[in-house]
């Protein structure tokens, strides 16, 4: 196997799920979000684990992700968040997936397709309370809810909305979104109808807004042990499940003034030791980390020098020591030092979500506790 790999500790993901469960009320269900290759952790393995740990539902962005899970024998309920094209509807129905209905038109198409196929459709209504993405606006949601009552072939399992700012220090907008969602739900109260499963909280909602938990929560990033933002309160103890490791592929002494890597952007002022690590932006390690990030060898932090290449990255050891084959940690801990996805995100000017989801499939995944 390639010596550059991602190590996923499945025990950590299970423990994070358990921590989320004990934080929310016992009657609140948990949907485990596994979109984007389970935030880089491997969608099939994580979904299998979540099924085994009895997560109430799995959440994916696209039909293709759900198809992959069904092909791998995962039978758990799966909600597809994204807007679906009309031609995808029959496959959604045949695979027993739950579809998002973001408009009256889509709902009707789903209902008709289900009628034509002679199967029941599972549907979650999507309300836009302040994201301006897919979903019917909260101020015109009644017509979608009304239409859902007259569907003949749909089981309306759920109704949901999504926060735009629950990870901010200022929760005013998140609270406004929740208020709008609750007003939409009065449709059911007024008609003395039980509402379908109401869900709103992403990780930030789970952590910062207990009143948003409702009937089900949808944690993504926190399941993987990473907090959504530095502003989110750490009300649930979760721990990172992913480590990214490589090894020293080459050691050399570089003379003062001899530039390292493409573009010759950096040269040592005095003779130094430089090692090459066999990974680069072709693996999803941002080129923007050139000259900014660090990696760990033998419990020490060493800076990246010169540009990150497609397949290789160079570290300046200074007077430090490393040998060919020594383990290198890109994300994770090594002796007393650790580098988190958050730290890489701040070096690269992005968020930990992008750091994790960017690690591509060229990097093999290894599972601990499988
Ligand atoms: C991605 C996603 C989530 C999970 O978000 P996190 O911030 O990772 O917890 C929840 N709900 C929907 C609709 C999503 O698209």
């Amino acid at each position: 196997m390639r010596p550059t790999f991602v190590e996923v500790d499945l025990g950590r993901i299970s423990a994070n799920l358990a921590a989320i469960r004990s934080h929310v009320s016992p009657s609140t269900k948990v949907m485990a979000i596994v979109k984007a290759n389970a935030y880089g952790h491997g969608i099939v393995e994580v979904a299998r684990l979540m099924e085994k740990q009895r997560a109430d539902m799995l959440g994916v962005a696209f039909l293709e992700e759900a198809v992959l899970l069904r092909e791998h024998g995962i039978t758990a309920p799966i909600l597809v968040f994204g807007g679906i094209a009309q031609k995808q509807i029959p496959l959604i129905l045949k695979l027993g997936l739950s579809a998002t209905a973001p408009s009256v038109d889509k709902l009707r198409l789903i209902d008709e397709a289900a009628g034509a196929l002679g199967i029941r459709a599972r549907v979650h209504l999507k309300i836009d309370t302040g994201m301006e993405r897919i979903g019917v606006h909260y101020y015109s949601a009644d017509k979608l809810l009304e239409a859902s009552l007259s569907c003949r072939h749909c089981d309306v399992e759920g109704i949901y909305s999504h926060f735009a700012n629950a990870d901010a220090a200022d929760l005013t907008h998140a609270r406004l979104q929740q208020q709008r969602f609750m007003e939409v739900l009065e449709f059911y109260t007024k008609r003395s109808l039980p509402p379908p499963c109401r869900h709103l909280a992403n990780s930030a909602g789970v952590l910062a807004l207990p009143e948003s938990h409702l009937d089900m929560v949808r944690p993504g990033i926190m399941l993987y042990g990473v907090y959504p933002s530095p502003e989110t309160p750490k009300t649930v103890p979760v721990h990172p499940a992913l480590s990214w490791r490589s090894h020293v592929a080459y050691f050399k002494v570089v003379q003062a003034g001899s530039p390292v890597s493409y573009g010759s952007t950096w040269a040592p002022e005095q003779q130094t030791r430089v090692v090459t690590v066999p990974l680069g932006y072709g693996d999803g390690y941002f080129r923007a980390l050139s000259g900014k990030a660090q990696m760990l060898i033998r419990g020490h932090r060493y800076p990246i020098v010169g540009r990150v290449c497609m397949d290789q990255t160079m570290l300046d050891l200074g007077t430090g020591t490393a040998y060919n084959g020594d383990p290198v940690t890109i994300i994770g801990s090594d002796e007393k030092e650790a580098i988190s996805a958050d730290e890489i995100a701040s070096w690269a000017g992005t968020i930990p979500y992008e750091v994790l989801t960017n690690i591509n499939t060229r990097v093999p995944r290894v599972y601990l506790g499988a």
Side-chain angles (χ1 to χ4, degrees), residues 33 35 39 81 133 160 162 202-203 218-221 353:
I33 311 304
K35 64 185 174 183
Y39 292 55
F81 295 137
R133 209 165 59 174
Y160 74 110
H162 191 59
N202 53 3
S203 295
R218 304 191 306 264
I221 197 139
Y353 293 77

Side-chain angles (χ1 to χ4, degrees), residues 7-242:
E7 198 178 86
V8 177
D9 186 338
L10 294 175
R12 282 270 172 93
I13 300 179
S14 298
N16 294 338
L17 175 67
I20 294 164
R21 273 219 184 96
S22 59
H23 178 72
V24 301
S25 129
S27 59
T28 298
K29 294 179 175 175
V30 179
M31 178 193 293
I33 311 304
V34 297
K35 64 185 174 183
N37 200 26
Y39 292 55
H41 295 63
I43 186 168
V44 172
E45 289 78 2
V46 173
R48 248 184 217 135
L49 177 75
M50 292 297 95
E51 188 171 49
K52 205 172 98 197
Q53 302 290 330
R54 302 190 186 285
D56 298 281
M57 201 166 195
L58 304 174
V60 299
F62 301 125
L63 174 58
E64 295 72 17
E65 296 174 314
V67 169
L68 185 73
L69 295 181
R70 287 287 187 256
E71 281 172 358
H72 283 83
I74 285 148
T75 57
I78 304 175
L79 175 61
V80 179
F81 295 137
I84 39 168
Q86 184 174 1
K87 60 175 193 232
Q88 295 179 311
I89 295 174
L91 185 55
I92 291 227
L93 301 178
K94 284 177 196 157
L95 293 175
L97 303 168
S98 301
T100 294
S103 66
V104 174
D105 284 353
K106 272 286 154 62
L107 180 64
R108 294 238 162 88
L109 290 174
I110 295 169
D111 196 45
E112 282 163 21
L117 288 167
I119 43 185
R120 303 286 307 164
R122 301 156 175 257
V123 170
H124 289 235
L125 308 175
K126 180 71 190 282
I127 314 300
D128 178 2
T129 54
M131 182 85 176
E132 299 297 351
R133 209 165 59 174
I134 73 166
V136 64
H137 281 125
Y138 63 95
Y139 46 79
S140 44
D142 268 17
K143 61 178 198 268
L144 178 63
L145 276 61
E146 196 74 61
S148 78
L149 296 181
S150 59
C151 282
R152 293 174 48 216
H153 310 284
C154 293
D155 293 324
V156 181
E157 290 179 336
I159 180 164
Y160 74 110
S161 189
H162 191 59
F163 282 129
N165 294 295
D167 60 342
D170 179 356
L171 294 170
T172 314
H173 186 249
R175 293 207 170 94
L176 178 63
Q177 282 194 270
Q178 168 142 21
Q179 189 190 327
R180 290 168 174 171
F181 189 50
M182 301 319 283
E183 282 165 15
V184 169
L185 292 167
E186 280 171 21
F187 173 93
Y188 296 103
T189 327
K190 281 186 212 140
R191 288 163 182 73
S192 305
L193 292 170
C197 176
R198 306 161 302 159
H199 48 108
L200 176 60
N202 53 3
S203 295
V206 171
L207 292 160
L209 293 157
E211 65 275 26
S212 73
H213 296 176
L214 304 176
D215 303 323
M216 181 158 69
V217 292
R218 304 191 306 264
I221 197 139
M222 70 184 297
L223 201 52
Y224 307 98
V226 176
Y227 292 95
S229 84
E231 282 76 41
T232 331
K234 297 186 168 130
T235 51
V236 181
V238 293
H239 301 283
L242 180 147

